[in-house]
Amino acid sequence: MTTVLKTESLRKQFGELTAVDDVSIEIDDGDITSIIGPNGAGKTTFYNLLTGVLQPTAGSIWLRSGDGATDDGGGLREITDAEPHEVAQAGLSRSYQITNIFEGLTVRENVRVARISHERTRLDFRSRATGDEAIEADIEELLELTGLTDIADTPCDTLSHGEKRTVEIALALAIEPDVFLMDEPTAGMNPTEVTEIVSLIRELDADLDATFVVTEHNMDVVTDISDRIVVLAEGSILADGTPDDVLTDERVTEAYLGSDSV
Ligand SMILES: Nc1ncnc2c1ncn2[C@@H]1O[C@H](COP(=O)(O)OP(=O)(O)O)[C@@H](O)[C@H]1O
Ligand SMILES: [Mg+2]
């Protein structure tokens, strides 16, 4: 296994509150890792640190580098102080909550905007496709991959919630990420949409080289898709392992039920 993303003693304080408390984690190439934990555990803050939206109070973040440049001798490059667009260029992408979608544009037009803006900003060494034809081919491939081909010409303001979430995923994939973060991909979905998004995540995992990190409330989804589960509680890692190990761990059950409520 190769480490694609690593944090060392990553910490974020909001005044007196420590939202992320010295989290050290290594994410392996190819796995689907779920990060779970009760409300307020620090999951979203952790993502915001990884993607450069928030600056950590202490600690560091490392990402496998596409060009072989390393800071640590092990193929990782430090991105602790990188801005969000630099993090994205370095290969770490996140599916945003709908707000990223241009409502007045069609699905294909949205994917095109994302793909072209990526083309403009990415560094040459990551370059795969160049020229209009290759970009158009990439756009069709992305639509196919995410199952959006049939609604490619539909304006986004007429899509269902589930369809919009899928468009978001396509936009995040347009930057050809090595690591793909999803924050509650099933939030607000009905059961049919949940089933669809779960099979999409599985297909993407099979079809792409990308490594997936997912936060999720729905425990059926977590059990279904995860190779590994990391449990956060009060900003710290409480448990880390296979779904079988983690979900039968007493400390985990207690954290969810509230240990001092007994
Ligand atoms: N911008 C902020 N300013 C102050 N406190 C925050 C901020 N963002 C999150 N918090 C606090 O940090 C803790 C972790 O929140 P969050 O990362 O959203 O948890 P989760 O995503 O696991 O529900 C919570 O106590 C929350 O109230
Ligand atoms: Mg959250």
Side-chain angles (χ1 to χ4, degrees):
M1 280 291 179
T2 312
T3 300
V4 290
L5 175 67
K6 178 171 86 167
T7 66
E8 279 181 350
S9 303
L10 195 64
R11 165 181 288 262
K12 180 64 182 180
Q13 287 181 219
F14 296 111
E16 294 286 290
L17 177 85
T18 307
V20 172
D21 193 357
D22 292 349
V23 169
S24 298
I25 191 172
E26 292 186 4
I27 303 290
D28 291 328
D29 186 17
D31 269 358
I32 299 183
T33 302
S34 289
I35 299 184
I36 67 169
N39 260 333
K43 304 180 295 292
T44 298
T45 304
F46 185 62
Y47 270 19
N48 285 335
L49 294 172
L50 295 179
T51 50
V53 172
L54 289 173
Q55 280 301 302
T57 310
S60 59
I61 308 167
W62 306 75
L63 188 67
R64 178 148 299 272
S65 157
D67 65 351
T70 64
D71 295 335
D72 74 333
L76 296 174
R77 172 186 276 178
E78 185 165 5
I79 58 161
T80 313
D81 298 324
E83 299 286 332
H85 70 276
E86 295 169 330
V87 174
Q89 276 169 44
L92 180 73
S93 185
R94 162 187 191 163
S95 79
Y96 287 90
Q97 307 267 3
I98 287 160
T99 51
N100 218 24
I101 296 174
F102 294 106
E103 295 278 336
L105 300 184
T106 66
V107 171
R108 180 182 282 106
E109 286 164 349
N110 265 283
V111 172
R112 184 175 291 124
V113 169
R115 183 62 185 78
I116 287 173
S117 57
H118 169 53
E119 189 69 19
R120 289 221 186 93
T121 54
R122 72 173 164 184
L123 307 170
D124 279 345
F125 63 80
R126 286 179 60 79
S127 211
R128 190 182 68 191
T130 43
D132 292 350
E133 264 177 46
I135 289 176
E136 291 306 314
D138 268 7
I139 292 165
E140 295 313 310
E141 195 187 324
L142 265 168
L143 291 167
E144 191 67 37
L145 201 62
T146 47
L148 290 170
T149 306
D150 288 350
I151 56 167
D153 295 318
T154 308
C156 285
D157 54 7
T158 65
L159 299 180
S160 71
H161 177 74
E163 288 168 337
K164 284 186 188 176
R165 297 300 306 257
T166 310
V167 173
E168 247 179 64
I169 291 172
L171 300 184
L173 290 177
I175 72 152
E176 306 173 276
D178 299 313
V179 181
F180 187 27
L181 307 181
M182 303 172 101
D183 197 0
E184 308 225 357
T186 71
M189 287 189 173
N190 67 42
T192 312
E193 292 172 332
V194 170
T195 310
E196 284 169 7
I197 206 92
V198 166
S199 37
L200 176 61
I201 294 171
R202 286 174 163 289
E203 279 167 33
L204 293 175
D205 180 53
D207 291 346
L208 300 172
D209 287 333
T211 301
F212 290 77
V213 183
V214 179
T215 70
E216 182 56 51
H217 260 118
N218 183 326
M219 292 307 282
D220 291 337
V221 172
V222 170
T223 314
D224 198 5
I225 63 171
S226 310
D227 297 304
R228 171 186 178 192
I229 298 176
V230 176
V231 185
L232 279 186
E234 294 174 8
S236 301
I237 296 178
L238 181 72
D240 181 353
T242 63
D244 278 351
D245 288 343
V246 166
L247 298 175
T248 54
D249 189 321
E250 231 171 70
R251 291 167 307 164
V252 174
T253 343
E254 269 176 32
Y256 274 92
L257 296 176
S259 47
D260 17 291
S261 64
V262 185

